[in-house]
Amino acid sequence: MFKRIGLFVITNLAILLVLSFTARFLGVDRLLAANGLNVGGLLVFAAIFGFGGALISLAISKWSAKMMVGAQVIESPSSATERWVVETVRRHAQLAGIGMPEVAVYEAPEINAFATGANRNNALVAVSTGLLQNMTPDEAEAVLGHEISHVANGDMVTLALVQGVVNTFVIFLARVIGYLVDRVVLKNDRDSVGIGYWVTSIAAEIVLGFLATMIVMWFSRRREYRADAGGAQLAGREKMIAALERLKSAHEPSTLPAPVKAFGIWGGGSGGLALLFMSHPPLDDRIAALRAGVVASGLSLAR
């Protein structure tokens, strides 16, 4: 995890340096400085607040997920079904080379499951009662393999850091646009920013936020294909396809809370323009990718 965080911190610093150099090359920094805006200070501010929320959410992801869905961790299996779920997760985790996650069950009629956690060796895998009641053991095994693949691939950490990077851009660019409108377009020459800055920066943050969400959701959809391939490696391709077919036939919308939905086996939604804001690809596309072997490797299995 620390290697992954280090890589993204270095990447973000490189992005900030490129932004700073570009602003200097184009003369934007001089224009902004002349109008009272410190570009370097704004970059630091944007990075701190851009990453702050994303990393805090990641740090408390297990606790908050349990609270939001009412998941009950299986401390000691009380039934054959719970025992089977725990042992299946254990077997998949060993094959994937990660520590044993906490295993939980939450009450929900829909067929779903999710994984979360900041540490791949101390994660949480939770399944709905609807999944346990409506899926065959082979299908449930594949879903658990999919979730273990998310953990093994470090998807929770990566998605949080991608969110941090785009947050940084949104905060920085929205305030730059606000300053330019306030000082250059509206010719506000007072020591403090005017109403033009506040209105413009808020509007810019909303627009840029939509664009940022599209980027994050695009990445989220990409990792779903890889997790499907990982589930196929752990449980078998036909089992993974059967699990997705079962989800397709259920026709039930996902009721997972927004912070958890991206890590479920199914996020709900349809195609069209709505796809741009969906955390999961359409099930037909996922099934077709598995059948065609488009994603060659979902994860590197431990030896």
Side-chain angles (χ1 to χ4, degrees):
M1 183 185 77
F2 292 109
K3 179 180 179 181
R4 188 181 298 265
I5 290 176
L7 177 62
F8 270 85
V9 168
I10 292 171
T11 301
N12 196 61
L13 288 175
I15 291 170
L16 295 180
L17 287 174
V18 170
L19 278 175
S20 180
F21 175 79
T22 303
R24 181 170 298 180
F25 178 77
L26 296 175
V28 175
D29 62 335
R30 291 189 295 274
L31 175 63
L32 294 172
N35 287 284
L37 178 62
N38 184 323
V39 174
L42 178 57
L43 282 170
V44 173
F45 168 84
I48 290 174
F49 281 88
F51 271 90
L55 294 179
I56 290 172
S57 295
L58 176 64
I60 65 172
S61 59
K62 280 177 58 178
W63 173 83
S64 60
K66 292 175 191 175
M67 295 300 103
M68 283 187 285
V69 302
Q72 300 296 313
V73 175
I74 303 174
E75 302 288 355
S76 179
S78 59
S79 67
T81 298
E82 289 188 353
R83 190 174 302 108
W84 179 87
V85 171
V86 171
E87 289 307 314
T88 301
V89 169
R90 189 187 309 279
R91 185 174 69 253
H92 285 339
Q94 289 173 347
L95 284 171
I98 63 172
M100 177 64 183
E102 286 186 313
V103 182
V105 176
Y106 65 97
E107 288 285 341
E110 68 182 66
I111 300 174
N112 219 328
F114 67 87
T116 191
N119 189 328
R120 68 199 297 269
N121 292 313
N122 186 25
L124 168 73
V125 173
V127 298
S128 69
T129 52
L131 181 147
L132 297 177
Q133 294 164 2
N134 295 291
M135 275 192 159
T136 67
D138 283 352
E139 293 163 352
E141 179 187 359
V143 170
L144 292 172
H146 173 102
E147 298 307 330
I148 287 295
S149 296
H150 274 313
V151 177
N153 293 334
D155 285 342
M156 285 69 75
V157 174
T158 304
L159 193 62
L161 294 172
V162 168
Q163 184 70 62
V165 169
V166 298
N167 287 349
T168 299
F169 272 92
V170 169
I171 293 170
F172 176 78
L173 293 176
R175 281 153 182 78
V176 167
I177 293 170
Y179 262 89
L180 288 174
V181 170
D182 187 58
R183 297 302 176 92
V184 179
V185 178
L186 299 179
K187 307 296 185 183
N188 174 28
D189 58 359
R190 294 176 297 175
D191 291 336
S192 60
V193 293
I195 188 66
Y197 165 79
W198 297 109
V199 172
T200 304
S201 60
I202 291 172
E205 196 159 319
I206 292 172
V207 173
L208 293 171
F210 273 106
L211 296 176
T213 298
M214 291 167 58
I215 294 171
V216 175
M217 291 300 100
W218 173 86
F219 174 80
S220 179
R221 291 192 297 274
R222 292 299 92 193
R223 68 190 176 82
E224 284 302 317
Y225 288 115
R226 191 178 179 203
D228 285 342
Q233 283 180 260
L234 291 169
R237 187 173 69 163
E238 293 307 316
K239 292 180 182 179
M240 191 71 244
I241 291 173
L244 296 178
E245 291 280 13
R246 177 75 68 176
L247 286 168
K248 181 181 171 183
S249 66
H251 296 296
E252 292 179 348
S254 174
T255 59
L256 285 175
V260 181
K261 185 176 292 187
F263 303 114
I265 183 69
W266 168 234
S270 57
L273 290 176
L275 177 63
L276 296 174
F277 298 95
M278 286 167 53
S279 59
H280 293 62
L283 287 167
D284 283 336
D285 292 354
R286 294 167 65 181
I287 293 168
L290 280 173
R291 284 180 172 155
V294 173
V295 182
S297 178
L299 73 166
S300 298
L301 300 183
R303 296 290 185 264

